[in-house]
Each structure stands twice: as structure tokens, then as C-alpha cells.
């Protein structure tokens, strides 16, 4: 994993606000590891998928993945950027893909780091990576990374699913668990009828995760179709409710949007 390559030699921030925000985002980039990057041939765009190794010393539960999209104006020699933290790789990829990055160009090196433990994990990650914009609302997340080789890592992500098939249990917890050896990880999807029920499970963990049903045989074709129309928003649904405050449910991650201002 390499250090971030912003490719900004010869470019200046488009405004003082861009300069300040970019400085803030990259201030600790000596702890960033580049998982994947894509630079468009015309030199106008760069997309970076980064791992922040210092997140474990931040506020408990802080997301460890950072996405950055840099846009350059070749005529003026200036740049703007957007950035966002996300709790898992697929959600970080989704953010970049929906800002114009080709999906196949932002895949991390599969030989580095833990691997999906089973087909269900791979399918759920694909679902999160390629879902149509507007299907999910990110409500809260928590990363439990003890930072040692004796324990694994758990990442809980609470999403509101606007898909009609999820109408009865729209609050979905995606639980990612990495084994202590860091060789493999699993992802499972739990379904809850209310934000309160999801939040209670996240805080207490006194029952098994209420898993969603396995998809029907046609899901693979539907998933492929969803990827093909990834710019089409999901049907509107009721406004999701953010779960009540609790130690396992910090606020949703901030997104830095810097386009010559905010």
C-alpha cells in the first residue's frame, strides 16, 4: 500500500476555503495508506480510496476509510475536491463510483489484507458497492478495532433501506467481522422494523443478528441490472428515523464538499 498520490504539482486551490479544507483533510496523511486510486487520462479527475491508520486513536467508533475526489481545471491550473469518511470499503467505493469513478478502477489489491470468507459476504459487499443512488440512507456506524493481533475487528453500519421489498424491516445493520488472524472477514445483514430496535441490538448484542432472508434465484440478474442503472434513484419511501443516542451509534459521518466554497 502506497502513500496518497494527489497529483497536484502545478495546481493551486481554487479558493482560500479549498486550501483550508484540503490542508485539514490531508494534515495527517502520513498515516494514510492508498488502497486504490484512479486518475483519468485527461488529467482532470483523481479518485482515491484510503485507509486511515490513525483512526483507532480518534473518537471511539471513527470510520477508518477515506474517499477523496479531486477535480482539476486545466485552463486555470486550480483544483477543487470532495472527501468523505465511510465505515467499510464497499461504501467508500460507492461514494467514489457515484462521482464518476469506474467501478473496476477502484478495486483494492486482493492479495493484501483479509479476504471475504464466503459467497454471502462477497454478494452483500457487491450490493453495497453498486446499489442505486438513493436506495440506502446511512444513519450511523461504529468501528470496534482494538488495534492488536489478539482480537478481531467489528464494524456495525446502520442503513435505512428504501427498497419496497424492505418496507416491513427497513432498518438494516450490516455487520462486518474480521477474524483475529486478519485472514478473512464476513458480512451479514440484519433487518429491524424500527430504529429503536436496531439501536438496542447494536448496544446490547444479547441476541443473534436477525438475518435477512436469502435472495431468490433471480437476484443475481437483478443486481446486475441495478448496477447498469446505478444512477437511477430508488423509489422514495418514508423519512428514516435516526436512532436515539447511544454508545454504539455515533452520528453519521461528515462529508466534506469543497467546490470553490462549501
Amino acid at each position: 500500500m502506497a502513500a496518497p498520490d494527489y497529483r497536484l504539482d502545478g495546481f493551486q486551490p481554487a479558493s482560500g476555503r479549498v486550501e483550508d479544507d484540503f490542508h485539514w483533510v490531508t494534515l495527517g496523511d502520513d498515516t494514510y495508506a492508498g488502497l486504490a486510486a484512479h486518475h483519468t487520462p485527461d488529467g482532470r479527475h483523481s479518485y482515491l480510496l484510503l485507509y486511515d491508520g490513525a483512526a483507532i486513536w480518534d473518537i471511539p467508533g471513527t470510520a477508518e476509510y477515506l474517499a477523496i475526489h479531486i477535480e482539476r481545471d486545466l485552463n486555470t491550473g486550480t483544483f477543487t475536491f470532495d472527501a468523505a469518511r465511510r465505515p467499510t470499503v464497499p461504501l467508500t467505493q460507492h461514494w467514489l463510483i457515484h462521482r464518476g469513478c469506474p467501478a473496476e478502477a477502484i478495486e483494492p489489491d486482493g492479495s493484501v489484507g483479509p479476504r471475504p470468507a464466503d459467497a454471502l459476504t462477497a454478494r452483500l459487499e457487491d450490493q453495497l458497492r453498486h446499489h442505486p443512488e438513493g436506495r440506502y440512507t446511512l444513519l450511523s456506524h461504529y468501528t470496534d478495532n482494538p488495534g492488536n493481533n489478539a482480537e478481531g475487528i467489528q464494524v456495525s453500519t446502520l442503513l435505512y433501506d428504501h427498497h419496497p421489498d424492505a418496507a416491513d424491516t427497513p432498518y438494516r445493520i450490516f455487520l462486518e467481522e474480521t477474524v483475529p488472524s486478519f485472514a478473512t472477514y464476513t458480512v451479514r445483514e440484519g433487518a429491524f422494523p424500527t430504529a429503536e430496535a436496531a439501536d438496542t441490538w447494536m448496544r446490547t448484542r444479547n441476541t443473534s443478528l436477525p438475518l435477512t432472508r436469502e435472495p431468490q434465484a433471480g437476484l443475481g440478474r437483478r443486481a446486475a441490472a441495478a448496477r447498469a442503472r446505478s444512477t437511477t434513484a430508488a423509489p422514495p419511501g418514508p423519512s428514516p428515523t435516526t436512532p436515539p443516542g447511544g454508545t454504539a451509534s455515533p452520528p453519521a459521518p461528515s462529508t466534506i464538499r469543497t467546490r470553490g466554497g462549501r
Side-chain angles (χ1 to χ4, degrees):
M1 292 183 286
D5 180 9
Y6 305 119
R7 299 196 179 185
L8 290 175
D9 289 347
F11 288 87
Q12 298 297 321
S15 69
R17 188 58 179 272
V18 173
E19 182 177 16
D20 291 344
D21 286 349
F22 193 73
H23 174 74
W24 180 78
V25 169
T26 61
L27 181 63
D29 65 0
D30 57 329
T31 67
Y32 294 170
L35 301 182
H38 174 66
H39 307 279
T40 57
D42 62 9
R44 294 182 179 275
H45 298 270
S46 288
Y47 303 89
L48 291 84
L49 170 57
L50 307 172
Y51 174 77
D52 180 5
I56 60 174
W57 295 295
D58 207 324
I59 298 171
T62 295
E64 298 181 338
Y65 298 97
L66 178 66
I68 299 179
H69 170 213
I70 296 171
E71 187 170 357
R72 304 172 191 84
D73 187 326
L74 304 183
N75 294 321
T76 63
T78 60
F79 74 91
T80 57
F81 81 102
D82 294 341
R85 280 190 181 269
R86 292 292 182 266
T88 64
V89 168
L91 288 174
T92 313
Q93 290 172 309
H94 178 269
W95 189 92
L96 291 167
I97 291 167
H98 282 271
R99 279 153 184 81
C101 183
E104 66 278 4
I106 204 68
E107 284 290 335
D109 183 353
S111 65
V112 178
R115 303 179 308 279
D118 51 33
L120 178 57
T121 294
R123 181 184 67 77
L124 290 174
E125 287 198 305
D126 193 55
Q127 178 176 311
L128 291 173
R129 185 179 298 113
H130 296 291
H131 69 267
E133 192 73 10
R135 173 173 178 176
Y136 291 116
T137 299
L138 178 58
L139 299 179
S140 65
H141 60 85
Y142 194 90
T143 297
D144 182 12
N145 183 354
N148 59 61
N149 295 326
E151 303 174 77
I153 301 172
Q154 286 192 352
V155 181
S156 304
T157 304
L158 177 59
L159 303 173
Y160 185 91
D161 190 349
H162 295 269
H163 195 282
D165 290 349
D168 292 335
T169 53
Y171 293 89
R172 301 299 175 98
I173 290 178
F174 286 83
L175 179 64
E176 178 182 294
E177 296 182 292
T178 303
V179 299
S181 68
F182 294 95
T184 61
Y185 64 94
T186 58
V187 176
R188 295 295 182 263
E189 179 185 5
F192 298 85
T194 65
E196 291 75 17
D199 184 66
T200 297
W201 187 91
M202 291 178 74
R203 286 186 290 104
T204 64
R205 305 289 182 96
N206 56 9
T207 61
S208 299
L209 183 67
L211 301 177
T212 56
R213 292 177 295 178
E214 284 295 305
Q216 299 176 355
L219 180 65
R221 293 188 296 272
R222 293 199 300 274
R227 288 196 294 272
R229 58 176 188 272
S230 59
T231 58
T232 302
S239 298
T241 301
T242 302
T247 58
S249 297
S254 60
T255 298
I256 303 132
R257 298 186 182 277
T258 306
R259 296 286 187 190
R262 260 193 214 249

